Amino acid sequence: MNELARVVQQTVDRLAGRHVGAVVAGLAGGDTEIRGTGRTGPGGGTPGPDTLFEIGSVTKVFTSLVLARLALDGTVRLDEPLAEVLADARDGRVVVPARGGQPITLRHLATHSAGLPRLPRGMLVRALLRPNDPDPYAHCTAEHVLDGLARTRLGTAPGRGFRYSNLGAGLLGLALAHRAGTGYEELVTREVCEPLGLVDTLVRSGAERSGRLAHGHTQGGRPVPSWDMAALPGMGGLRSTAADLAILLRAQLAADREPESPLTPAIMLTRETRHRVNPFAWMYLGWLGHRLHSQQGGHLQIWHNGGTGGFRSFVAFDPETQVGVVVLANTRRSVDPVGTALLRRLQKDFATAG
């Protein structure tokens, strides 16, 4: 076992017994190691590189990468108002809120700076009244979301603050698919998965992949049904594998050095935008970023996490030290601390020149 494999295995061992099942990928230099622990579900085997997990909000990374691709080919503009993209939806009967004379743009949606609430209108009340709802997003049809959008009040003027919003990311996916004239899953496949060679990143697994899908679990170990994001899959509707996400990170790590790679221009565009979250962190298009204090190594960390009813995910990388991390688990318990610890270990002990 090489040193990278040993470190990844140590992380997997930390997860053993704490989660129903988990898979960890570590990337350093040109090497990738993937290890699994636990079970995919009742009677299931140990999850591995090709086990499918719901990745929750890590989906937002894909949605923003699609935005960058469509912006580069002229299909949309980053600063195009959302109202213009949706102008011909429902015969033009789409009302998008504004504040301070500033309309919501696609860039605002991708950087969580639109001022929109975290959840679609009515969902907070629904969550309070039905806290054990197995699928809180199932009713979010396009009609429901766009009707609610017209009555939504913005917390800040677009572009003025940071307010993490599942609604905003979902609207971004809806708008991009609408402009492209296709479904969200088909758009992600065309713009991201096919260029990178991702074979298992999708909204619906299908019969041929159902045997590789992990079962979601609560903290108490009870199985829970999958979430259906209905008209808003861009906020968290994708399923993927550690193998596919490792390929995505490989593309992120190589972007500075391989300008001819098909997604490099879009990847670099996602990093050109920086919207300040707080004095220590910022939003790229889709990714969160921060730099550690010099006493902690001063390393750059670009990341996103995710969660659905019975799954948790964490994906992070550092293009400067050429390392990356994927952690997927079929439980509600956060994997962020374990993923962050592995990333810092790789940055400290496996750094190579970016």
Side-chain angles (χ1 to χ4, degrees):
M1 183 181 293
N2 62 44
E3 185 62 16
L4 177 60
R6 188 179 68 81
V7 170
V8 171
Q9 185 62 51
Q10 288 176 346
T11 301
V12 166
D13 291 342
R14 288 181 60 190
L15 290 168
R18 296 173 53 190
H19 301 273
V20 177
V23 178
V24 176
L27 295 79
D31 298 325
T32 301
E33 293 290 343
I34 302 177
R35 297 288 187 275
T37 186
R39 292 288 179 267
T40 58
T46 302
D50 298 324
T51 301
L52 283 156
F53 291 81
E54 294 180 11
I55 62 173
S57 287
V58 174
T59 299
K60 296 177 174 67
V61 170
F62 288 85
T63 304
S64 293
L65 196 49
V66 169
L67 169 62
R69 290 269 288 178
L70 297 186
L72 287 171
D73 71 15
T75 301
V76 299
R77 293 174 285 110
L78 290 183
D79 294 314
E80 186 171 2
L82 174 63
E84 290 184 12
V85 184
L86 294 175
D88 57 345
R90 303 197 309 174
D91 299 321
R93 295 179 294 104
V94 175
V95 177
V96 178
R99 181 169 174 175
Q102 174 63 55
I104 295 173
T105 68
L106 303 185
R107 185 192 303 267
H108 294 146
L109 297 176
T111 58
H112 299 282
S113 59
L116 288 164
R118 187 180 186 95
L119 299 173
R121 184 178 176 88
M123 276 203 63
L124 181 59
V125 173
R126 181 185 177 93
L128 291 173
L129 295 176
R130 301 176 63 180
N132 297 317
D133 191 338
D135 190 356
Y137 293 98
H139 72 295
C140 288
T141 64
E143 288 291 318
H144 173 89
V145 171
L146 294 178
D147 285 342
L149 180 64
R151 303 189 302 276
T152 297
R153 298 182 60 183
L154 302 184
T156 61
R160 296 295 299 274
F162 174 81
R163 193 181 191 191
Y164 188 88
S165 175
N166 284 322
L167 171 60
L171 285 169
L172 178 59
L174 181 67
L176 295 176
H178 176 72
R179 174 61 62 84
T182 187
Y184 175 81
E185 181 174 40
E186 291 77 15
L187 188 60
V188 170
T189 298
R190 185 186 79 194
E191 298 296 334
V192 180
C193 297
E194 289 180 351
L196 288 180
L198 308 185
V199 296
D200 285 319
T201 299
L202 28 74
V203 174
R204 282 284 164 254
S205 303
E208 73 280 5
R209 292 182 176 88
S210 60
R212 292 192 282 120
L213 177 65
H215 298 273
H217 288 77
T218 66
Q219 284 180 299
R222 291 179 290 108
V224 296
S226 296
W227 280 4
D228 180 0
M229 303 292 177
L232 300 179
M235 69 182 175
L238 287 177
R239 298 170 177 178
S240 191
T241 65
D244 266 15
L245 293 174
I247 294 172
L248 174 69
L249 291 191
R250 279 277 165 226
Q252 295 284 342
L253 295 175
D256 290 321
R257 299 175 289 111
E258 298 180 3
E260 301 304 318
S261 293
L263 258 65
T264 288
I267 288 171
M268 299 309 294
L269 179 57
T270 63
R271 295 189 208 161
E272 289 176 9
T273 294
R274 288 196 183 195
H275 181 83
R276 183 63 59 181
V277 174
N278 59 45
F280 311 102
W282 58 88
M283 277 295 309
Y284 296 106
L285 295 179
W287 293 98
L288 290 131
H290 63 263
R291 189 173 291 278
L292 298 177
H293 190 277
S294 58
Q295 294 181 351
Q296 297 175 307
H299 296 303
L300 173 64
Q301 296 186 335
I302 301 174
W303 62 279
H304 212 299
N305 59 3
T308 61
F311 294 86
R312 288 295 180 268
S313 57
F314 179 84
V315 180
F317 66 99
D318 176 6
E320 296 175 352
T321 58
Q322 291 289 288
V323 300
V325 168
V326 176
V327 183
L328 303 174
N330 58 337
T331 180
R332 284 183 177 175
R333 187 169 182 175
S334 174
V335 296
D336 293 13
V338 172
T340 300
L342 176 58
L343 180 64
R344 291 185 62 180
R345 173 72 182 277
L346 297 183
Q347 288 175 310
K348 177 177 179 291
D349 294 341
F350 293 83
T352 59

